[in-house]
Amino acid sequence: MTAVLSIETTPTEAVDGSASAVAGFVGELVFDVLAGRRALHEVREHLMPQVAGLLFTTRLHAAQSPDYRLRSVHACLVTDCAVEACMIVGTHYRVRALVLRLEQDSGHWVCTLLSLV
């Protein structure tokens, strides 16, 4: 089952909520780093080292435009402690997808896999 999430999700809803809420919360942090709107060290607790390394070397320069934003989140709970998600980001003229795998680690959600399509 795929769910679509409004981007106005709060961190509290993400911690206690659905797969889409979890993906939206962590995914938006990841997208903000890619867009240069947030520093990597601010979100490191939600990233595996491999994902942090990828974010450190990858930037979406076009994403710095104010029109470039998170459009939708589609997520699926694959186990009790793992979520797989696809986030659609972009403007009216260009759209990209971020594919994420999130796993619960010591009570909080961590991005263990990230792919920019």
Side-chain angles (χ1 to χ4, degrees):
M1 181 176 146
T2 300
V4 178
L5 169 73
S6 164
I7 60 173
E8 279 77 37
T9 303
T10 65
T12 304
E13 291 170 334
V15 172
D16 299 326
S18 68
S20 291
V22 169
F25 173 67
V26 177
E28 193 162 8
L29 296 174
V30 168
F31 177 63
D32 284 349
V33 172
L34 283 170
R37 293 187 278 246
R38 188 181 296 264
L40 181 61
H41 73 272
E42 294 178 51
V43 301
R44 194 172 293 273
E45 71 178 300
H46 294 287
L47 308 172
M48 290 296 287
Q50 309 89 296
V51 174
L54 177 65
L55 287 175
F56 183 72
T57 59
T58 306
R59 289 289 184 264
L60 292 176
H61 297 289
Q64 293 175 356
S65 162
D67 293 338
Y68 210 93
R69 63 185 179 88
L70 178 62
R71 299 289 177 184
S72 64
V73 176
H74 308 268
C76 179
L77 187 66
V78 291
T79 69
D80 288 342
C81 55
V83 171
E84 292 183 349
C86 176
M87 297 175 38
I88 308 303
V89 298
T91 67
H92 294 292
Y93 307 106
R94 180 174 172 116
V95 176
R96 304 282 304 263
L98 295 174
V99 180
L100 306 112
R101 180 174 173 95
L102 307 166
E103 297 179 11
Q104 233 178 5
D105 181 37
S106 302
H108 68 280
W109 290 92
V110 177
C111 182
T112 59
L113 180 69
L114 174 67
S115 181
L116 178 62
V117 182

